[in-house]
Amino acid sequence: MTVTYSSKVANATFFGFHRLLLKWRGSIYKLLYREFIVFAVFYTAISLVYRLLLTGAQKRYFEKLSIYCDRYAEQIPVTFVLGFYVTLVVNRWWNQFVNLPWPDRLMFLISSSVHGRDEHGRLLRRTLMRYVNLTSLLIFRSVSTAVYKRFPTMDHVVEAGFMTADERKLFDHLKSPHLKYWVPFIWFGNLAAKARKEGRIRDSVDLQSLMTEMNKYRSWCSLLFGYDWVGIPLVYTQVVTLAVYTFFFACLIGRQFLDPTKGYAGHDLDLYIPIFTLLQFFFYAGWLKVAEQLINPFGEDDDDFETNWCIDRNLQVSLLAVDEMHMSLPKMKKDIYWDDSAARPPYTLAAADYCIPSFLGSTVEMGLSGSDFPGEDWLWSYEKHGHRRSVIRKVKRFLSAHEHPSSPRRRSYSRQASDSSMFFPPSGDVSPARDLLDVPSRSYHRAPGTPNQTRSPEGSIKMYSSLGELSTIRETSRTSTLQSLSPQPSVRVSPTKMPQVPEVVLFSVANSAPYFLPWFADDEALAAPPTGQSKMSASPT
């Protein structure tokens, strides 16, 4: 029977595995105690012979042999070979458990698709489900020693009710040198097709769904048969076993405590009992025992699969589902949350600690101190009233790898495509804006096909600025400018909470077509002389 201890490790506590270390059934102690006793007895015998029976010359020879074995035993790759082997065995073991045949999906389809509450309909559903369980029984008999001991012959299968006498005759009459676990599949398909012709299965889609699920069930059975047929290569198992036992055979001699008076390196103490060698044997040999137990989970070890229980459970549940529960429905009633739009099941006092509020995001409870930043105010209001940054915030900005766009050292302004995009110079420092407003007029190349516009009286560049402290420069959107710009542009009025901001409109020298100052214009380009050819060229939007 499989050893289950999940409830004992549900919570992580201080020294929580101590209860598991005291268990005997399914433990490493039960698996390894024989080998451990044999290793300890051999080590003790060799130690007694060295100490009591050997002469002086023989002791010197044994000591050289012990040092030699200890030196070259470490060259055996026990950890690598054993670790990879155990990983392969554990993965194979889990895949076999995942592919155990469970008839639940088939019994749901049979109960809902095969109609008829009369005796013939009941017989039809139970027979289909019996064929399904017979298939898994034949597979388990071929791979599990526990199931084979329970059903050693086909007569036992007939006596157990999985097969009738007539079906046994047909089964034995079919001559095949191979395992005939697939025969009940054929019976299942023929009987399902007959039920479709009789109208018991009313739709071909239901028949197709039934056959599809039966094929999946057949795949699970075939996979278990394949795992039993093709195992881990024998040579790999032999290599791992030889590596482990050869290593510890060398340890029997190489890990002996030698005479400390001889001055051998690493033999300064004589403890008689090799504690760490015994622990090493316990771990490595126990690792090998784990692989030995899991390589075939259909045996009779403590942690092998309970295949006999699976057979009993599947038969009972499947027949109950297709017979007594066929078209069995409870009376529908209004649930207790009928008029409650926010249904919440109650908690007991023992589970009160698990009643937690809904998760609304990791930043919900994160607050900003008022001295650091007024989180409810907009940035322009923050700059307008002349709020100063705290010392901590300035240090954070100074240490930040990303330079703030409002740093006084940056003279180039980023541009966005939105009409509401803004540039924010630092509070109290408007020198970059003044430099931008004091740019002398220059000529720009006009792209071909641009319609002529009335030239501005001021020349190629016309700028409007408001008096007072400049806090924001708004750049006009390309789309809105082409739609609403007149030959005599006027200052746009900002929203109520917005301060009065100037707009920058650029016109070409040739035909006064509107241009926008490129975002990559640097100080050198803005300081170009008013006469001569400009260093930058722009195309009309």
Side-chain angles (χ1 to χ4, degrees):
M1 183 176 179
T2 303
V3 179
T4 302
Y5 59 91
S6 301
S7 61
K8 299 184 181 301
V9 293
N11 300 321
T13 59
F14 177 73
F15 203 56
F17 280 0
H18 68 283
R19 298 185 185 91
L20 303 181
L21 296 178
L22 301 178
K23 286 184 173 294
W24 173 256
R25 188 173 178 276
S27 65
I28 188 61
Y29 319 120
K30 184 178 179 181
L31 282 177
L32 196 61
Y33 77 93
R34 300 178 183 89
E35 288 84 353
F36 186 82
I37 292 176
V38 170
F39 181 80
V41 168
F42 273 102
Y43 184 90
T44 305
I46 294 175
S47 179
L48 292 177
V49 170
Y50 163 69
R51 296 172 185 274
L52 302 178
L53 301 180
L54 297 182
T55 62
Q58 292 174 345
K59 284 185 177 182
R60 302 294 84 78
Y61 181 80
F62 179 83
E63 291 166 357
K64 293 179 181 179
L65 180 62
S66 176
I67 295 174
Y68 175 81
C69 292
D70 186 39
R71 178 185 305 171
Y72 289 99
E74 299 298 334
Q75 297 183 3
I76 301 177
V78 180
T79 304
F80 172 75
V81 175
L82 189 57
F84 186 78
Y85 182 74
V86 172
T87 301
L88 182 63
V89 169
V90 170
N91 291 334
R92 175 187 172 89
W93 166 78
W94 183 250
N95 288 333
Q96 291 182 73
F97 174 76
V98 171
N99 290 280
L100 286 176
W102 301 98
D104 297 52
R105 300 176 64 173
L106 269 170
M107 71 185 188
F108 298 153
L109 286 175
I110 292 175
S111 180
S112 60
S113 301
V114 183
H115 300 276
R117 306 196 65 173
D118 55 348
E119 185 176 355
H120 181 69
R122 179 187 178 188
L123 177 63
L124 185 61
R125 289 187 298 273
R126 291 179 67 93
T127 304
L128 288 173
M129 207 66 245
R130 184 167 54 82
Y131 289 157
V132 174
N133 288 281
L134 177 60
T135 303
S136 61
L137 175 61
L138 295 178
I139 285 293
F140 284 141
R141 282 187 71 250
S142 63
V143 302
S144 175
T145 57
V147 176
Y148 189 82
K149 289 181 178 180
R150 183 181 180 184
F151 304 98
T153 63
M154 293 302 298
D155 293 334
H156 293 83
V157 176
V158 174
E159 292 178 3
F162 288 91
M163 183 184 291
T164 63
D166 294 336
E167 294 169 353
R168 165 72 186 282
K169 293 179 181 179
L170 292 176
F171 188 84
D172 293 339
H173 181 72
L174 182 64
K175 301 301 180 181
S176 176
H178 308 291
L179 181 66
K180 295 184 289 185
Y181 72 93
W182 46 269
V183 173
F185 286 118
I186 306 299
W187 295 344
F188 181 93
N190 296 337
L191 186 59
K194 182 181 178 181
R196 175 70 181 95
K197 291 181 180 179
E198 294 176 354
R200 298 287 181 171
I201 300 177
R202 300 174 184 175
D203 195 345
S204 298
V205 177
D206 294 337
L207 178 61
Q208 182 180 4
S209 301
L210 200 61
M211 298 305 296
T212 301
E213 288 301 326
M214 187 61 186
N215 283 327
K216 291 181 180 179
Y217 191 84
R218 182 206 61 81
S219 299
W220 292 337
C221 295
S222 301
L223 191 58
L224 292 184
F225 183 75
Y227 273 118
D228 183 71
W229 175 34
V230 180
I232 297 176
L234 179 61
V235 291
Y236 197 10
T237 303
Q238 290 175 343
V239 166
V240 174
T241 305
L242 288 175
V244 173
Y245 283 100
T246 302
F247 175 77
F248 285 108
F249 178 79
C251 289
L252 288 175
I253 301 176
R255 299 294 177 86
Q256 292 288 336
F257 289 99
L258 305 181
D259 189 359
T261 60
K262 300 302 179 181
Y264 296 114
H267 293 276
D268 301 330
L269 297 176
D270 190 4
L271 300 179
Y272 298 97
I273 300 176
I275 298 176
F276 289 98
T277 301
L278 294 177
L279 289 176
Q280 194 174 20
F281 177 85
F282 188 83
F283 298 147
Y284 282 177
W287 211 355
L288 183 62
K289 279 296 181 179
V290 169
E292 182 181 344
Q293 186 180 33
L294 299 183
I295 193 170
N296 183 12
F298 296 102
E300 300 178 66
D301 295 325
D302 289 337
D303 281 311
D304 286 342
F305 301 152
E306 298 295 337
T307 49
N308 282 314
W309 174 87
C310 291
I311 292 173
D312 297 340
R313 181 262 175 195
N314 292 342
L315 182 63
Q316 295 171 4
V317 172
S318 59
L319 293 181
L320 180 65
V322 300
D323 189 4
E324 296 184 16
M325 295 195 65
H326 174 66
M327 295 302 172
S328 176
L329 293 173
K331 184 179 180 181
M332 293 189 298
K333 293 183 179 180
K334 295 181 179 180
D335 56 86
I336 61 175
Y337 308 107
W338 183 264
D339 297 324
D340 189 1
S341 59
R344 187 184 182 96
Y347 286 81
T348 61
L349 292 178
D353 294 338
Y354 302 103
C355 181
I356 59 176
S358 300
F359 181 73
L360 301 178
S362 58
T363 62
V364 172
E365 298 181 358
M366 185 182 72
L368 296 175
S369 60
S371 60
D372 188 20
F373 188 85
E376 69 280 0
D377 297 332
W378 293 104
L379 185 57
W380 53 73
S381 300
Y382 177 69
E383 296 287 347
K384 179 179 178 181
H385 293 88
H387 291 287
R388 299 295 180 181
R389 304 182 187 274
S390 64
V391 177
I392 297 179
R393 189 171 183 84
K394 290 181 180 179
V395 172
K396 289 181 180 179
R397 290 297 184 184
F398 177 76
L399 297 178
S400 175
H402 174 71
E403 187 178 1
H404 195 269
S406 62
S407 175
R409 296 184 179 181
R410 294 189 58 179
R411 303 299 294 273
S412 59
Y413 289 85
S414 302
R415 183 178 67 85
Q416 300 178 359
S418 174
D419 184 54
S420 61
S421 61
M422 301 178 183
F423 299 91
F424 300 99
S427 176
D429 185 5
V430 297
S431 56
R434 290 197 182 98
D435 293 341
L436 182 61
L437 293 177
D438 295 338
V439 174
S441 61
R442 72 196 71 180
S443 60
Y444 287 86
H445 297 286
R446 182 178 62 87
T450 305
N452 295 333
Q453 301 288 343
T454 304
R455 180 175 297 182
S456 169
E458 289 79 6
S460 61
I461 300 178
K462 185 174 182 179
M463 303 180 181
Y464 298 88
S465 60
S466 61
L467 298 178
E469 181 182 15
L470 178 62
S471 60
T472 308
I473 300 177
R474 300 191 60 195
E475 181 189 33
T476 310
S477 173
R478 295 185 178 185
T479 305
S480 61
T481 304
L482 291 178
Q483 293 178 355
S484 62
L485 186 63
S486 60
Q488 296 295 334
S490 60
V491 179
R492 298 180 59 182
V493 180
S494 302
T496 305
K497 290 187 177 182
M498 296 283 293
Q500 295 294 330
V501 296
E503 293 184 350
V504 180
V505 184
L506 307 181
F507 295 89
S508 65
V509 176
N511 52 12
S512 299
Y515 287 84
F516 292 92
L517 187 64
W519 65 272
F520 52 79
D522 54 3
D523 296 340
E524 183 180 356
L526 293 177
T531 59
Q533 189 175 0
S534 173
K535 295 183 180 180
M536 294 188 304
S537 62
S539 338
T541 303

